[in-house]
Amino acid sequence: MKKQLISVALLAVSMMATAQSDPVIMTVAGVDVPRSEFEYSYNKNNTDGVIDKKSVEEYVDLFVNYKLKVQAALDARIDTTAAFKKEFAQYRDQQVRPTFVTDDDMLAEARRVYENDKQHIGPDGLVKAEHILIIIPQKATEEQQQEAKSRIDSIYAALKDGADFEELAKKVSQDPGSARNGGMLGWFPRHRMVKEFEDAAFALQPGEMSEPVQTPFGWHIILMKERKQLEPFEFYEQSILKFLEQRGAREAITDRKLDEMVKNADTTITKEQILEQRADSMAAADKDMRYLIKEYHDGLLLYEVSNQNIWDKAAKDENALAQYFKKNKKKYVWSEPRFKGIAYHVKNQEYVKAVANCIKKLKFEDWNEALRSNFNNDSIIRIRVEKGLFKKGDNKLIDREQFKQSDVKVDSVKGYPIDATYGKILKKPEEYTDVRGLVTADLQDELERQWVADLRRKYTFTVNEEVLKTVNKHE
């Protein structure tokens, strides 16, 4: 009992020390925010490279709004959804999984790869050889076989008389991969080539040349360049380590270690729980890591709750967009007129009137489908069309026909000699779809302001001004 009381007392002292070194800078929706968390966020978002740097006082409102939105997401239980849990776990694991692999682990893996290769190479080591190949086609006739044998014999005779092997390989070898390099095959161990070639090559000493050797590919002459045993591990260490990094060996080692930890655990535990425990341990030991993980956790919540309340809501609510445009129509102006319509090219003059009749009574957004179904609904393309809201300079045909720039030369479209336009000139936007991007952004801003105001009414928050004065000014 006494021991337990001492432990509780020590814990209390520890908590008091932590509180004194990292005081509460604000309380938002009943949750205390330590000064270190505010400093982490402020300093990260106000580096020297940031254009719109904020003072500490200016940043307070942004940070409070951020915390209010996160609380709204928590109240909406977004953090309990399977999609959120999966995405957050993936990010958390990106931070945690690398900590399971040390440099010693990678070095041990590199040694394992080396020893496997060494065993595979065997006592005969490696050879470097050049060869000249004369191919015998599959199902070759007797005549073709005799012709290949005659050619290889004549090449062999020339080499015996002093012809340069590399120059001859470049001229006559039918192995395109090696011929361009003078017949060079590079280093290879046993079991890399077909048996007939391998046996002949490994029977040679450096500088020796084989007689013609027949394999399933044809006739070869082999020139031995060098032989060696595999160099010590240290010779290959860095290249093997680089290879392992490129092949994602760290991930494989991590998975292997996690499987072993699960297997050797005294109690039932999953890999997910091990990763979560490691994340908690890292967060407890490293303040920056703690806030990095928390930042991503809260950032995911903020994205989803903002999407539900602002971004997606504004972008998809056609009625709200139309109403907002109608209410604020005067703010949307153009410095120059636009042509709202199509520039198109057809095969015959009769199609020009047909196009106009096809779409003249339809909404602008329905034109594409109507033109496709009436003119291009089978394998024959009868009309080439570009639809949109055009200003001067966007389309040469529209510049000439609608903006009356007679000096503009329109490029012809092969196979579609008739050029035409259909639509109308607008001095200002008629409906929200004419300036949809601007209206959507403005409506999102409006919804953002309304939402933040609602959150500030719904949740309480206080800021400790004295602690605020000490931001980045304490030891």
Side-chain angles (χ1 to χ4, degrees):
M1 180 66 179
K2 185 180 292 184
K3 184 177 181 180
Q4 183 180 2
L5 289 175
I6 292 174
S7 298
V8 172
L10 289 173
L11 179 61
V13 170
S14 175
M15 292 176 64
M16 289 175 62
T18 301
Q20 290 173 355
S21 62
D22 194 9
V24 173
I25 196 169
M26 64 180 68
T27 302
V28 182
V31 179
D32 290 340
V33 179
R35 179 178 59 194
S36 61
E37 182 182 349
F38 179 85
E39 285 179 332
Y40 172 87
S41 180
Y42 174 77
N43 292 333
K44 185 170 183 178
N45 290 287
N46 287 276
T47 59
D48 292 337
V50 174
I51 297 175
D52 186 22
K53 293 181 70 172
K54 304 291 184 184
S55 67
V56 171
E57 291 73 19
E58 290 172 328
Y59 194 70
V60 168
D61 270 351
L62 296 175
F63 190 78
V64 168
N65 291 345
Y66 169 71
K67 285 292 186 180
L68 291 172
K69 293 172 185 176
V70 170
Q71 187 59 49
L74 292 171
D75 288 349
R77 298 179 61 79
I78 291 174
D79 60 323
T80 66
T81 64
F84 174 86
K85 289 180 178 179
K86 180 179 179 181
E87 186 169 358
F88 174 65
Q90 288 175 342
Y91 174 80
R92 180 205 64 201
D93 292 352
Q94 288 175 8
Q95 312 306 313
V96 173
R97 286 176 62 89
T99 66
F100 285 90
V101 183
T102 65
D103 290 343
D104 287 343
D105 291 326
M106 291 297 289
L107 191 60
E109 186 71 6
R111 284 191 177 277
R112 186 185 67 79
V113 170
Y114 172 81
E115 292 299 331
N116 285 344
D117 284 350
K118 185 176 180 181
Q119 184 177 3
H120 178 73
I121 288 170
D124 288 337
L126 299 160
V127 298
K128 180 192 283 187
E130 297 172 344
H131 84 136
I132 293 173
L133 168 66
I134 298 300
I135 294 174
I136 299 177
Q138 288 188 353
K139 299 181 180 179
T141 64
E142 183 68 27
E143 182 180 353
Q144 288 174 314
Q145 293 183 33
Q146 288 299 325
E147 181 182 351
K149 184 64 169 67
S150 295
R151 290 191 65 188
I152 201 70
D153 286 342
S154 64
I155 293 168
Y156 181 68
L159 291 169
K160 294 289 283 185
D161 287 341
D164 184 272
F165 192 98
E166 293 183 8
E167 290 302 318
L168 203 53
K170 289 178 181 179
K171 292 178 181 178
V172 302
S173 179
Q174 294 177 337
D175 176 7
S178 67
R180 67 175 66 97
N181 297 316
M184 178 59 69
L185 295 169
W187 291 102
F188 58 90
R190 280 195 177 274
H191 313 301
R192 184 70 58 82
M193 305 294 185
V194 294
K195 187 177 186 307
E196 297 87 347
F197 188 97
E198 176 189 302
D199 289 344
F202 276 86
L204 299 172
Q205 294 303 316
E208 292 182 344
M209 181 177 70
S210 74
E211 295 181 356
V213 177
Q214 187 173 12
T215 76
F217 298 104
W219 286 99
H220 308 255
I221 299 172
I222 305 167
L223 176 63
M224 173 60 65
K225 301 295 289 183
E226 297 180 60
R227 299 188 68 143
K228 69 176 182 178
Q229 293 297 321
L230 191 65
E231 291 87 351
F233 168 73
E234 289 72 21
F235 181 85
Y236 297 101
E237 179 179 337
Q238 292 306 313
S239 60
I240 296 175
L241 287 171
K242 183 178 180 181
F243 168 78
L244 290 174
E245 292 286 1
Q246 293 172 341
R247 292 292 296 269
R250 288 182 181 271
E251 286 297 304
I253 294 172
T254 299
D255 285 332
R256 193 162 64 236
K257 282 193 169 186
L258 288 170
D259 288 337
E260 290 173 359
M261 293 171 74
V262 170
K263 181 179 179 180
N264 297 330
D266 294 333
T267 58
T268 301
I269 192 170
T270 65
K271 288 198 289 187
E272 171 68 21
Q273 290 171 326
I274 293 173
L275 290 165
E276 189 173 346
Q277 290 173 5
R278 177 63 67 93
D280 291 342
S281 175
M282 291 170 60
D286 184 343
K287 181 176 62 179
D288 286 344
M289 177 59 70
R290 176 167 71 251
Y291 289 142
L292 178 65
I293 293 176
K294 180 176 176 58
E295 178 185 31
Y296 193 83
H297 177 276
D298 291 353
L300 284 176
L301 291 175
L302 178 64
Y303 174 84
E304 187 57 38
V305 76
S306 297
N307 197 44
Q308 292 178 9
N309 287 275
I310 301 171
W311 305 328
D312 205 35
K313 182 177 180 180
K316 293 182 178 180
D317 191 338
E318 304 294 332
N319 184 59
L321 289 167
Q323 291 300 317
Y324 186 88
F325 174 76
K326 184 177 180 180
K327 183 180 178 181
N328 300 277
K329 200 170 184 178
K330 291 182 179 180
K331 69 187 288 188
Y332 300 106
V333 295
W334 291 324
S335 59
E336 57 181 342
R338 302 286 197 272
F339 173 72
K340 185 177 183 178
I342 57 173
Y344 63 101
H345 314 274
V346 292
K347 293 178 177 294
N348 303 309
Q349 185 65 42
E350 63 187 74
Y351 285 138
V352 174
K353 187 174 182 180
V355 167
N357 289 335
C358 174
I359 60 178
K360 64 182 180 181
K361 294 183 179 180
L362 299 177
K363 293 181 179 180
F364 186 64
E365 55 267 29
D366 296 330
W367 286 12
N368 278 344
E369 178 56 28
L371 292 172
R372 186 201 65 78
S373 61
N374 281 276
F375 297 96
N376 296 339
N377 64 342
D378 52 27
S379 60
I380 300 175
I381 305 299
R382 298 174 179 82
I383 179 174
R384 299 284 186 182
V385 62
E386 183 179 357
K387 170 179 170 285
L389 199 62
F390 303 90
K391 63 180 183 296
K392 288 180 182 178
D394 286 346
N395 183 285
K396 291 180 179 179
L397 179 57
I398 290 171
D399 286 346
R400 187 186 70 186
E401 299 297 321
Q402 295 294 330
F403 295 123
K404 307 306 179 184
Q405 295 181 317
S406 57
D407 58 333
V408 173
K409 182 179 179 181
V410 177
D411 299 327
S412 61
V413 178
K414 185 177 180 180
Y416 300 84
I418 310 300
D419 305 321
T421 61
Y422 183 84
K424 58 184 175 180
I425 297 287
L426 301 180
K427 293 183 178 180
K428 59 183 179 179
E430 285 187 331
E431 51 190 347
Y432 81 91
T433 53
D434 298 335
V435 280
R436 186 184 187 107
L438 294 174
V439 175
T440 300
D442 289 344
L443 179 57
Q444 287 172 343
D445 288 343
E446 172 103 343
L447 292 175
E448 165 90 9
R449 287 190 293 270
Q450 293 173 358
W451 185 39
V452 168
D454 291 341
L455 293 176
R456 284 178 169 253
R457 285 191 294 268
K458 179 178 180 179
Y459 299 109
T460 59
F461 60 91
T462 57
V463 177
N464 189 325
E465 298 293 340
E466 293 303 313
V467 175
L468 188 65
K469 294 176 183 177
T470 68
V471 169
N472 292 333
K473 297 178 182 177
H474 58 91
E475 294 183 359

